[in-house]
Amino acid sequence: PKRPREEEALDAPREKRYKFRTFIQRIADVDIDVHHKLHALELEQQRSAASDRETPFTLQTLDKWRELNLTAQFVVFAREVQPLIRSLPLVLRNRDALAELISRHLRSGSANALAPILEIVSALAVDLRSEFYPSPFEPLVRTLAELLDPADTDALELTFQTLCYLFKYLLRPLLVDLTRPFRLLAPMLGHAKQHVRRFAADSFGYLLRKCPADALDSVLGHMLDAAADAADAAAVARASDVAL
Protein backbone atom coordinates (compact mmCIF):
# COMPACT_ATOMS: atom_id res chain seq x y z
CA PRO A 1 0.00 0.00 0.00
CA LYS A 2 1.07 3.54 -0.70
CA ARG A 3 2.27 5.56 2.24
CA PRO A 4 0.46 8.77 3.05
CA ARG A 5 1.99 11.87 1.51
CA GLU A 6 2.50 13.34 4.96
CA GLU A 7 4.85 10.49 5.93
CA GLU A 8 6.74 10.73 2.64
CA ALA A 9 7.19 14.43 3.18
CA LEU A 10 8.59 13.83 6.67
CA ASP A 11 11.07 11.26 5.36
CA ALA A 12 12.22 13.43 2.47
CA PRO A 13 15.61 15.09 2.96
CA ARG A 14 15.20 18.71 3.95
CA GLU A 15 16.95 21.40 1.97
CA LYS A 16 19.21 23.58 4.06
CA ARG A 17 17.92 27.12 4.28
CA TYR A 18 21.34 28.58 4.94
CA LYS A 19 24.29 27.74 2.76
CA PHE A 20 27.73 28.77 3.93
CA ARG A 21 29.61 30.91 1.41
CA THR A 22 33.29 31.70 1.69
CA PHE A 23 34.58 35.25 1.61
CA ILE A 24 35.85 34.71 -1.94
CA GLN A 25 32.38 33.55 -3.03
CA ARG A 26 30.76 36.57 -1.41
CA ILE A 27 33.23 38.91 -3.11
CA ALA A 28 32.48 37.24 -6.46
CA ASP A 29 28.77 37.93 -5.93
CA VAL A 30 29.25 41.67 -5.32
CA ASP A 31 27.53 43.61 -8.11
CA ILE A 32 28.41 47.29 -8.48
CA ASP A 33 27.37 47.67 -12.13
CA VAL A 34 24.58 50.23 -11.85
CA HIS A 35 25.29 51.74 -15.27
CA HIS A 36 23.33 49.07 -17.14
CA LYS A 37 20.51 49.20 -14.59
CA LEU A 38 19.98 52.96 -14.76
CA HIS A 39 19.50 53.82 -18.41
CA ALA A 40 19.70 57.33 -19.86
CA LEU A 41 15.90 57.60 -20.14
CA GLU A 42 15.38 56.63 -16.49
CA LEU A 43 18.07 59.10 -15.42
CA GLU A 44 16.40 61.92 -17.35
CA GLN A 45 13.01 60.99 -15.89
CA GLN A 46 14.44 61.21 -12.38
CA ARG A 47 15.98 64.60 -13.11
CA SER A 48 12.79 65.93 -14.70
CA ALA A 49 10.70 64.71 -11.80
CA ALA A 50 13.12 66.33 -9.34
CA SER A 51 12.72 69.65 -11.18
CA ASP A 52 8.93 69.50 -11.48
CA ARG A 53 7.97 68.53 -7.94
CA GLU A 54 7.98 70.79 -4.92
CA THR A 55 9.07 68.01 -2.56
CA PRO A 56 12.79 67.22 -2.90
CA PHE A 57 13.68 63.71 -3.99
CA THR A 58 15.94 63.59 -0.90
CA LEU A 59 12.95 64.15 1.40
CA GLN A 60 10.90 61.53 -0.42
CA THR A 61 13.75 59.04 -0.03
CA LEU A 62 14.04 59.87 3.67
CA ASP A 63 10.27 59.39 4.19
CA LYS A 64 10.42 56.02 2.47
CA TRP A 65 13.22 54.80 4.71
CA ARG A 66 11.59 56.12 7.89
CA GLU A 67 8.94 53.49 7.35
CA LEU A 68 11.44 50.74 6.53
CA ASN A 69 14.29 51.38 8.96
CA LEU A 70 13.55 51.86 12.66
CA THR A 71 17.08 51.45 13.98
CA ALA A 72 18.11 53.93 16.65
CA GLN A 73 20.88 55.48 14.55
CA PHE A 74 18.68 56.05 11.54
CA VAL A 75 15.88 57.53 13.67
CA VAL A 76 18.38 60.06 15.05
CA PHE A 77 19.79 60.73 11.57
CA ALA A 78 16.30 61.29 10.12
CA ARG A 79 15.41 63.69 12.93
CA GLU A 80 18.55 65.75 12.28
CA VAL A 81 18.44 65.76 8.49
CA GLN A 82 14.74 66.44 7.87
CA PRO A 83 14.77 70.19 8.76
CA LEU A 84 17.58 70.70 6.21
CA ILE A 85 15.77 69.12 3.22
CA ARG A 86 12.16 70.31 3.44
CA SER A 87 12.44 72.20 0.14
CA LEU A 88 14.83 72.36 -2.80
CA PRO A 89 16.11 75.84 -1.81
CA LEU A 90 16.85 74.47 1.66
CA VAL A 91 18.69 71.48 0.20
CA LEU A 92 20.81 73.84 -1.90
CA ARG A 93 21.51 76.22 0.98
CA ASN A 94 22.39 73.41 3.41
CA ARG A 95 24.44 71.20 1.09
CA ASP A 96 27.70 71.60 3.03
CA ALA A 97 25.95 71.08 6.38
CA LEU A 98 24.33 67.97 4.92
CA ALA A 99 27.72 66.62 3.90
CA GLU A 100 29.04 67.12 7.43
CA LEU A 101 25.96 65.53 9.00
CA ILE A 102 26.03 62.51 6.67
CA SER A 103 29.78 62.02 7.21
CA ARG A 104 29.33 62.15 10.97
CA HIS A 105 26.63 59.49 10.92
CA LEU A 106 28.60 57.29 8.52
CA ARG A 107 31.53 57.44 10.93
CA SER A 108 29.32 56.28 13.79
CA GLY A 109 29.51 52.86 12.18
CA SER A 110 25.97 51.45 12.31
CA ALA A 111 25.73 48.89 9.51
CA ASN A 112 21.94 48.81 9.75
CA ALA A 113 21.66 52.46 8.73
CA LEU A 114 24.24 52.36 5.93
CA ALA A 115 21.87 51.51 3.06
CA PRO A 116 19.35 54.32 3.72
CA ILE A 117 22.04 56.93 4.34
CA LEU A 118 23.85 56.07 1.11
CA GLU A 119 20.59 56.13 -0.85
CA ILE A 120 19.97 59.60 0.55
CA VAL A 121 23.42 60.61 -0.72
CA SER A 122 22.37 59.50 -4.22
CA ALA A 123 19.05 61.35 -3.87
CA LEU A 124 20.95 64.53 -2.95
CA ALA A 125 22.88 64.26 -6.20
CA VAL A 126 19.59 64.04 -8.12
CA ASP A 127 18.24 67.16 -6.38
CA LEU A 128 21.41 69.25 -6.56
CA ARG A 129 22.75 68.12 -9.96
CA SER A 130 25.84 70.18 -10.80
CA GLU A 131 25.59 71.95 -7.42
CA PHE A 132 26.55 68.64 -5.81
CA TYR A 133 30.05 69.00 -7.28
CA PRO A 134 32.71 69.66 -6.05
CA SER A 135 30.99 69.95 -2.68
CA PRO A 136 29.37 67.95 -1.11
CA PHE A 137 30.61 65.26 -3.53
CA GLU A 138 34.30 65.45 -2.62
CA PRO A 139 34.02 65.44 1.20
CA LEU A 140 31.50 62.59 1.06
CA VAL A 141 33.74 60.47 -1.20
CA ARG A 142 36.67 61.10 1.15
CA THR A 143 34.55 59.85 4.04
CA LEU A 144 33.57 56.72 2.12
CA ALA A 145 37.21 56.02 1.25
CA GLU A 146 38.27 56.56 4.84
CA LEU A 147 35.64 54.18 6.25
CA LEU A 148 36.02 51.42 3.67
CA ASP A 149 36.12 47.99 5.32
CA PRO A 150 37.56 45.42 2.88
CA ALA A 151 36.14 42.54 4.95
CA ASP A 152 32.51 43.73 4.88
CA THR A 153 31.16 42.62 1.49
CA ASP A 154 27.69 44.13 2.00
CA ALA A 155 29.13 47.54 2.88
CA LEU A 156 31.57 47.34 -0.04
CA GLU A 157 28.73 46.66 -2.47
CA LEU A 158 26.61 49.54 -1.13
CA THR A 159 29.56 51.94 -1.12
CA PHE A 160 30.71 51.26 -4.67
CA GLN A 161 27.14 51.19 -5.99
CA THR A 162 26.67 54.66 -4.51
CA LEU A 163 29.90 55.87 -6.12
CA CYS A 164 28.73 54.53 -9.48
CA TYR A 165 25.38 56.28 -9.14
CA LEU A 166 27.15 59.55 -8.29
CA PHE A 167 29.45 59.17 -11.30
CA LYS A 168 26.43 58.67 -13.53
CA TYR A 169 24.47 61.59 -12.08
CA LEU A 170 27.48 63.95 -12.14
CA LEU A 171 29.04 62.81 -15.40
CA ARG A 172 29.23 66.24 -17.07
CA PRO A 173 30.96 68.18 -14.27
CA LEU A 174 33.26 65.23 -13.52
CA LEU A 175 34.44 65.02 -17.12
CA VAL A 176 35.65 68.64 -17.04
CA ASP A 177 38.71 67.47 -15.09
CA LEU A 178 38.99 63.73 -14.45
CA THR A 179 42.17 64.16 -12.43
CA ARG A 180 40.07 65.44 -9.48
CA PRO A 181 37.90 62.31 -9.10
CA PHE A 182 41.00 60.20 -9.78
CA ARG A 183 42.79 61.79 -6.81
CA LEU A 184 39.72 61.12 -4.66
CA LEU A 185 39.69 57.46 -5.64
CA ALA A 186 43.47 57.04 -5.38
CA PRO A 187 43.33 55.53 -1.85
CA MET A 188 40.87 52.91 -3.13
CA LEU A 189 42.75 52.31 -6.39
CA GLY A 190 45.93 51.74 -4.41
CA HIS A 191 44.32 49.76 -1.61
CA ALA A 192 46.19 46.81 -0.13
CA LYS A 193 43.31 44.46 -0.90
CA GLN A 194 43.00 43.38 -4.53
CA HIS A 195 39.19 43.18 -4.56
CA VAL A 196 38.92 46.78 -3.34
CA ARG A 197 41.28 47.89 -6.12
CA ARG A 198 39.15 46.01 -8.65
CA PHE A 199 35.88 47.61 -7.49
CA ALA A 200 37.49 51.07 -7.55
CA ALA A 201 38.90 50.46 -11.04
CA ASP A 202 35.50 49.26 -12.30
CA SER A 203 33.89 52.41 -10.88
CA PHE A 204 36.44 54.83 -12.33
CA GLY A 205 36.49 52.92 -15.61
CA TYR A 206 33.01 54.25 -16.38
CA LEU A 207 34.36 57.81 -16.34
CA LEU A 208 37.35 56.88 -18.47
CA ARG A 209 35.09 55.31 -21.10
CA LYS A 210 33.08 58.55 -21.25
CA CYS A 211 36.14 60.81 -21.37
CA PRO A 212 36.53 62.79 -24.62
CA ALA A 213 39.39 61.53 -26.77
CA ASP A 214 41.21 64.89 -26.73
CA ALA A 215 41.38 64.84 -22.91
CA LEU A 216 42.15 61.16 -22.43
CA ASP A 217 45.94 61.40 -23.00
CA SER A 218 46.28 64.02 -20.28
CA VAL A 219 44.23 61.99 -17.80
CA LEU A 220 46.13 58.77 -18.50
CA GLY A 221 49.45 60.63 -18.20
CA HIS A 222 48.39 61.94 -14.79
CA MET A 223 47.39 58.43 -13.70
CA LEU A 224 50.72 56.94 -14.83
CA ASP A 225 52.66 59.67 -13.03
CA ALA A 226 50.66 59.00 -9.85
CA ALA A 227 51.32 55.25 -10.14
CA ALA A 228 55.07 55.90 -10.58
CA ASP A 229 55.12 58.21 -7.54
CA ALA A 230 53.30 55.59 -5.46
CA ALA A 231 55.79 52.90 -6.56
CA ASP A 232 58.73 55.15 -5.64
CA ALA A 233 57.21 55.89 -2.22
CA ALA A 234 56.68 52.16 -1.61
CA ALA A 235 60.29 51.42 -2.58
CA VAL A 236 61.57 54.08 -0.16
CA ALA A 237 59.38 52.66 2.61
CA ARG A 238 60.71 49.14 1.99
CA ALA A 239 64.30 50.39 2.01
CA SER A 240 63.69 52.16 5.33
CA ASP A 241 62.27 48.97 6.82
CA VAL A 242 65.31 47.01 5.68
CA ALA A 243 67.67 49.62 7.16
CA LEU A 244 65.92 49.40 10.50
Side-chain angles (χ1 to χ4, degrees), residues 79-92:
R79 189 185 306 129
E80 292 182 22
V81 79
Q82 186 174 22
L84 306 178
I85 59 173
R86 286 176 176 157
S87 67
L88 286 173
L90 270 178
V91 173
L92 178 60

PDB file of all heavy atoms in Angstrom, residues 79-92:
ATOM      1  N   ARG A  79      15.859  62.528  12.158  1.00  0.00           N
ATOM      2  CA  ARG A  79      15.415  63.690  12.933  1.00  0.00           C
ATOM      3  C   ARG A  79      16.313  64.897  12.674  1.00  0.00           C
ATOM      4  O   ARG A  79      15.843  66.039  12.602  1.00  0.00           O
ATOM      5  CB  ARG A  79      15.409  63.333  14.422  1.00  0.00           C
ATOM      6  CG  ARG A  79      14.755  64.389  15.316  1.00  0.00           C
ATOM      7  CD  ARG A  79      14.884  64.024  16.781  1.00  0.00           C
ATOM      8  NE  ARG A  79      14.363  62.686  17.032  1.00  0.00           N
ATOM      9  CZ  ARG A  79      15.031  61.735  17.679  1.00  0.00           C
ATOM     10  NH1 ARG A  79      16.270  61.969  18.102  1.00  0.00           N
ATOM     11  NH2 ARG A  79      14.489  60.550  17.874  1.00  0.00           N
ATOM     12  N   GLU A  80      17.609  64.652  12.504  1.00  0.00           N
ATOM     13  CA  GLU A  80      18.549  65.752  12.284  1.00  0.00           C
ATOM     14  C   GLU A  80      18.514  66.267  10.850  1.00  0.00           C
ATOM     15  O   GLU A  80      18.685  67.467  10.608  1.00  0.00           O
ATOM     16  CB  GLU A  80      19.966  65.296  12.632  1.00  0.00           C
ATOM     17  CG  GLU A  80      20.185  65.041  14.106  1.00  0.00           C
ATOM     18  CD  GLU A  80      21.621  64.640  14.418  1.00  0.00           C
ATOM     19  OE1 GLU A  80      22.509  64.949  13.601  1.00  0.00           O
ATOM     20  OE2 GLU A  80      21.845  64.018  15.465  1.00  0.00           O
ATOM     21  N   VAL A  81      18.318  65.365   9.896  1.00  0.00           N
ATOM     22  CA  VAL A  81      18.439  65.758   8.490  1.00  0.00           C
ATOM     23  C   VAL A  81      17.149  66.372   7.942  1.00  0.00           C
ATOM     24  O   VAL A  81      17.196  67.213   7.030  1.00  0.00           O
ATOM     25  CB  VAL A  81      18.872  64.551   7.634  1.00  0.00           C
ATOM     26  CG1 VAL A  81      17.715  63.624   7.323  1.00  0.00           C
ATOM     27  CG2 VAL A  81      19.532  65.014   6.342  1.00  0.00           C
ATOM     28  N   GLN A  82      16.012  65.992   8.464  1.00  0.00           N
ATOM     29  CA  GLN A  82      14.743  66.439   7.874  1.00  0.00           C
ATOM     30  C   GLN A  82      14.585  67.962   7.805  1.00  0.00           C
ATOM     31  O   GLN A  82      14.156  68.487   6.762  1.00  0.00           O
ATOM     32  CB  GLN A  82      13.557  65.826   8.613  1.00  0.00           C
ATOM     33  CG  GLN A  82      12.221  66.149   7.943  1.00  0.00           C
ATOM     34  CD  GLN A  82      11.059  65.423   8.590  1.00  0.00           C
ATOM     35  OE1 GLN A  82      11.143  65.007   9.733  1.00  0.00           O
ATOM     36  NE2 GLN A  82       9.972  65.272   7.858  1.00  0.00           N
ATOM     37  N   PRO A  83      14.934  68.725   8.861  1.00  0.00           N
ATOM     38  CA  PRO A  83      14.771  70.189   8.760  1.00  0.00           C
ATOM     39  C   PRO A  83      15.621  70.831   7.661  1.00  0.00           C
ATOM     40  O   PRO A  83      15.315  71.950   7.224  1.00  0.00           O
ATOM     41  CB  PRO A  83      15.197  70.688  10.146  1.00  0.00           C
ATOM     42  CG  PRO A  83      15.088  69.506  11.041  1.00  0.00           C
ATOM     43  CD  PRO A  83      15.405  68.319  10.188  1.00  0.00           C
ATOM     44  N   LEU A  84      16.667  70.129   7.211  1.00  0.00           N
ATOM     45  CA  LEU A  84      17.576  70.697   6.212  1.00  0.00           C
ATOM     46  C   LEU A  84      17.139  70.425   4.779  1.00  0.00           C
ATOM     47  O   LEU A  84      17.716  70.988   3.844  1.00  0.00           O
ATOM     48  CB  LEU A  84      18.988  70.135   6.417  1.00  0.00           C
ATOM     49  CG  LEU A  84      19.606  70.284   7.808  1.00  0.00           C
ATOM     50  CD1 LEU A  84      20.986  69.640   7.846  1.00  0.00           C
ATOM     51  CD2 LEU A  84      19.683  71.751   8.211  1.00  0.00           C
ATOM     52  N   ILE A  85      16.113  69.570   4.579  1.00  0.00           N
ATOM     53  CA  ILE A  85      15.767  69.124   3.220  1.00  0.00           C
ATOM     54  C   ILE A  85      14.279  69.277   2.929  1.00  0.00           C
ATOM     55  O   ILE A  85      13.747  68.581   2.063  1.00  0.00           O
ATOM     56  CB  ILE A  85      16.205  67.652   3.000  1.00  0.00           C
ATOM     57  CG1 ILE A  85      15.540  66.720   4.001  1.00  0.00           C
ATOM     58  CG2 ILE A  85      17.727  67.514   3.097  1.00  0.00           C
ATOM     59  CD1 ILE A  85      15.782  65.248   3.735  1.00  0.00           C
ATOM     60  N   ARG A  86      13.607  70.192   3.608  1.00  0.00           N
ATOM     61  CA  ARG A  86      12.155  70.314   3.437  1.00  0.00           C
ATOM     62  C   ARG A  86      11.766  70.940   2.105  1.00  0.00           C
ATOM     63  O   ARG A  86      10.620  70.837   1.669  1.00  0.00           O
ATOM     64  CB  ARG A  86      11.564  71.123   4.589  1.00  0.00           C
ATOM     65  CG  ARG A  86      11.501  70.341   5.894  1.00  0.00           C
ATOM     66  CD  ARG A  86      11.006  71.171   7.035  1.00  0.00           C
ATOM     67  NE  ARG A  86      10.865  70.377   8.254  1.00  0.00           N
ATOM     68  CZ  ARG A  86      10.869  70.891   9.463  1.00  0.00           C
ATOM     69  NH1 ARG A  86      10.998  72.210   9.635  1.00  0.00           N
ATOM     70  NH2 ARG A  86      10.736  70.103  10.522  1.00  0.00           N
ATOM     71  N   SER A  87      12.697  71.616   1.458  1.00  0.00           N
ATOM     72  CA  SER A  87      12.437  72.200   0.141  1.00  0.00           C
ATOM     73  C   SER A  87      13.732  72.193  -0.650  1.00  0.00           C
ATOM     74  O   SER A  87      14.828  72.083  -0.083  1.00  0.00           O
ATOM     75  CB  SER A  87      11.917  73.635   0.286  1.00  0.00           C
ATOM     76  OG  SER A  87      12.930  74.485   0.809  1.00  0.00           O
ATOM     77  N   LEU A  88      13.629  72.339  -1.978  1.00  0.00           N
ATOM     78  CA  LEU A  88      14.830  72.357  -2.801  1.00  0.00           C
ATOM     79  C   LEU A  88      15.752  73.537  -2.470  1.00  0.00           C
ATOM     80  O   LEU A  88      16.976  73.366  -2.433  1.00  0.00           O
ATOM     81  CB  LEU A  88      14.447  72.362  -4.283  1.00  0.00           C
ATOM     82  CG  LEU A  88      13.920  71.020  -4.822  1.00  0.00           C
ATOM     83  CD1 LEU A  88      13.397  71.170  -6.244  1.00  0.00           C
ATOM     84  CD2 LEU A  88      15.012  69.945  -4.772  1.00  0.00           C
ATOM     85  N   PRO A  89      15.201  74.758  -2.226  1.00  0.00           N
ATOM     86  CA  PRO A  89      16.109  75.843  -1.813  1.00  0.00           C
ATOM     87  C   PRO A  89      16.857  75.529  -0.518  1.00  0.00           C
ATOM     88  O   PRO A  89      18.025  75.889  -0.372  1.00  0.00           O
ATOM     89  CB  PRO A  89      15.149  77.037  -1.631  1.00  0.00           C
ATOM     90  CG  PRO A  89      14.004  76.749  -2.542  1.00  0.00           C
ATOM     91  CD  PRO A  89      13.834  75.267  -2.491  1.00  0.00           C
ATOM     92  N   LEU A  90      16.184  74.845   0.414  1.00  0.00           N
ATOM     93  CA  LEU A  90      16.850  74.467   1.659  1.00  0.00           C
ATOM     94  C   LEU A  90      17.955  73.443   1.405  1.00  0.00           C
ATOM     95  O   LEU A  90      19.032  73.519   1.993  1.00  0.00           O
ATOM     96  CB  LEU A  90      15.829  73.893   2.646  1.00  0.00           C
ATOM     97  CG  LEU A  90      15.138  74.869   3.606  1.00  0.00           C
ATOM     98  CD1 LEU A  90      14.120  74.114   4.462  1.00  0.00           C
ATOM     99  CD2 LEU A  90      16.148  75.589   4.486  1.00  0.00           C
ATOM    100  N   VAL A  91      17.683  72.487   0.534  1.00  0.00           N
ATOM    101  CA  VAL A  91      18.694  71.484   0.196  1.00  0.00           C
ATOM    102  C   VAL A  91      19.928  72.167  -0.390  1.00  0.00           C
ATOM    103  O   VAL A  91      21.066  71.853  -0.025  1.00  0.00           O
ATOM    104  CB  VAL A  91      18.126  70.443  -0.800  1.00  0.00           C
ATOM    105  CG1 VAL A  91      19.228  69.506  -1.285  1.00  0.00           C
ATOM    106  CG2 VAL A  91      17.011  69.634  -0.150  1.00  0.00           C
ATOM    107  N   LEU A  92      19.703  73.127  -1.278  1.00  0.00           N
ATOM    108  CA  LEU A  92      20.814  73.842  -1.902  1.00  0.00           C
ATOM    109  C   LEU A  92      21.583  74.657  -0.869  1.00  0.00           C
ATOM    110  O   LEU A  92      22.822  74.629  -0.834  1.00  0.00           O
ATOM    111  CB  LEU A  92      20.282  74.756  -3.009  1.00  0.00           C
ATOM    112  CG  LEU A  92      21.307  75.610  -3.743  1.00  0.00           C
ATOM    113  CD1 LEU A  92      22.345  74.732  -4.433  1.00  0.00           C
ATOM    114  CD2 LEU A  92      20.610  76.499  -4.765  1.00  0.00           C
TER     115      LEU A  92
END
